[in-house]
Amino acid sequence: MKAAYIFASLLVLGGCDSAPEAAPAREARAQPAPKAAPLDFVDAQKQVPAYSETPVLRAQVILDHLGFSPGVIDGEEGQSYFAALRGFQTANDIAETGKLDEATLARLDQWRDVRATRVVMIPERFASGPFIPDFPASAADQAKLDRLGYKNLIEALAERFHTTPEVITAMNPNMTSMAAGTAIRVPNIPNAKSAFSGEDPRGWGETLASLGVPADQPLADRVVVDKSDGVLRVFDGDDKLIAQFPATMGSSKDPLPIGEWKIQGVSRNPDFHYNPKLFWDVSNDKAAQQLKPGPNSPVGVVWIDLNKPHYGIHGTSEPHTIGRAESHGCIRLTNWDAARLAQMVKPGTPATLQE
């Protein structure tokens, strides 16, 4: 996804990337979240049908907790899951097999009390939306909306619990409707334990809570985007791998810009200026459009700008496509992984993009 520029109002221009001209992003300060916050999911007392918590599903949940994202949690053995296992193995000095082998299971046993799923009550604030059931396909019609929000409650639940609507449906086979107060089984992604504080005109704190992403994250010393493995890796000051996210990056028309770059800034919940001239697969006859923020924005919930014009790291409205589709040159993550990364980097963080 290419973009072109960012104003002080955090307006992202173009398609995939944009560069913040605003003041450097403020450091996030964490504080304890209030008990039973409006977007917190509490354990349900009502029983729901049992669900088979397979070893793969449980491993995906634990890997997600630890920052080695498998992408969408679906209980399936796919390339993002195998990559997450390899990242965890590397970080823990285990032979890099990409398999849930005995050595990996032994290390994961530290988190044996973490269940794969959890039965929760849907909070009223979460269920209230607002939702956009007839979400328009064209940028011109999207520009008429005051926010590019979720289409429905199940889409919002899927992103909150780092999965897909199909998985939510499979975990709740007898459910005929979902609303505030409904007991529902979901992947065990906990409530965010810390809240984004300070000035928050873009509603970033609520975005983190709605994605189950704590504001308090370890600081990145550098990031590496590896095209051959299809992942973005995060290293700390001791050059230890501390996080890894599956990514979609580049295409034959818009290749990943290999080289040494730096992060220029982070735009949380950015506006987006859709410029057809920056997309090879869009007619130049189409008019440019200014789109409001939201999880279904073309750049998702966050834009992390690189000092390569028109390139950046951002979220997506289609998390199931990560690692399975091409991008317009930029690095695309799930919204929850992009939000997590946004709390780890700052202006000046080196970013290596490699084959």
Side-chain angles (χ1 to χ4, degrees):
M1 176 69 56
K2 272 190 185 168
Y5 202 77
I6 295 181
F7 292 108
S9 63
L10 300 181
L11 171 67
V12 176
L13 299 182
C16 174
D17 38 351
S18 153
E21 269 198 355
R26 292 180 174 85
E27 293 291 330
R29 293 174 297 174
Q31 63 182 21
K35 192 173 183 178
L39 290 175
D40 279 359
F41 285 75
V42 300
D43 291 328
Q45 301 304 314
K46 181 180 178 181
Q47 296 297 313
V48 300
Y51 185 80
S52 177
E53 297 189 353
T54 65
V56 171
L57 180 66
R58 185 168 175 273
Q60 287 179 332
V61 167
I62 295 172
L63 289 166
D64 184 287
H65 283 210
L66 299 176
F68 293 91
S69 173
V72 295
I73 294 172
D74 57 8
E76 300 293 331
E77 291 185 323
Q79 60 184 17
S80 294
Y81 166 65
F82 295 135
L85 282 173
R86 289 193 296 270
F88 174 79
Q89 290 164 343
T90 298
N92 287 274
D93 299 318
I94 303 171
E96 191 179 310
T97 64
K99 298 179 180 179
L100 196 59
D101 52 30
E102 289 187 9
T104 304
L105 282 169
R107 190 61 56 89
L108 289 173
D109 192 56
Q110 298 177 67
W111 299 277
R112 59 183 173 275
D113 293 333
V114 176
R115 296 291 304 272
T117 67
R118 178 184 173 206
V119 179
V120 298
M121 300 287 287
I122 300 176
E124 183 176 353
R125 172 68 186 84
F126 194 94
S128 66
F131 302 113
I132 310 168
D134 297 318
F135 194 89
S138 73
D141 289 333
Q142 291 174 14
K144 299 173 184 176
L145 302 176
D146 58 7
R147 187 172 186 275
L148 300 183
Y150 294 114
K151 301 178 183 69
N152 47 48
L153 177 56
I154 195 169
E155 183 184 38
L157 287 166
E159 290 234 326
R160 166 60 183 81
F161 293 99
H162 305 180
T163 187
T164 65
E166 291 76 16
V167 171
I168 295 285
T169 299
M171 287 185 174
N172 300 274
N174 298 328
M175 188 165 294
T176 57
S177 64
M178 295 182 184
T182 301
I184 182 173
R185 185 181 296 278
V186 291
N188 186 14
I189 302 302
N191 298 313
K193 293 181 180 179
S194 57
F196 186 78
S197 60
E199 294 183 23
D200 191 16
R202 312 291 290 189
W204 184 242
E206 182 166 312
T207 296
L208 291 176
S210 70
L211 291 169
V213 175
D216 188 14
Q217 297 289 337
L219 184 64
D221 185 70
R222 65 186 180 97
V223 301
V224 175
V225 178
D226 194 318
K227 183 178 179 181
S228 63
D229 289 337
V231 298
L232 183 151
R233 298 186 176 96
V234 183
F235 296 87
D236 66 10
D238 295 323
D239 210 33
K240 179 177 176 58
L241 179 64
I242 57 173
Q244 179 181 287
F245 310 114
T248 293
M249 57 194 80
S251 67
S252 58
K253 296 285 187 178
D254 292 299
L256 184 72
I258 304 302
E260 301 292 332
W261 310 100
K262 287 187 178 181
I263 289 170
Q264 293 197 136
V266 179
S267 294
R268 297 169 171 87
N269 286 328
D271 291 336
F272 179 76
H273 187 82
Y274 176 77
N275 184 355
K277 293 182 180 179
L278 295 177
F279 297 94
W280 61 266
D281 54 350
V282 178
S283 170
N284 288 342
D285 294 335
K286 299 285 186 180
Q289 303 290 341
Q290 181 174 322
L291 308 182
K292 295 297 184 181
N296 274 323
S297 164
V299 292
V301 300
V302 69
W303 173 265
I304 301 172
D305 194 47
L306 298 177
N307 64 331
K308 165 73 172 174
H310 306 301
Y311 286 88
I313 305 166
H314 61 85
T316 181
S317 59
E318 298 181 321
H320 62 282
T321 66
I322 296 301
R324 296 174 173 83
E326 295 183 330
S327 76
H328 287 90
C330 291
I331 300 99
R332 191 167 68 226
L333 312 175
T334 66
N335 275 334
W336 55 88
D337 289 340
R340 192 168 191 162
L341 180 64
Q343 297 304 107
M344 305 177 82
V345 299
K346 62 182 180 180
T349 301
T352 300
L353 277 54
Q354 63 189 31
E355 295 282 0

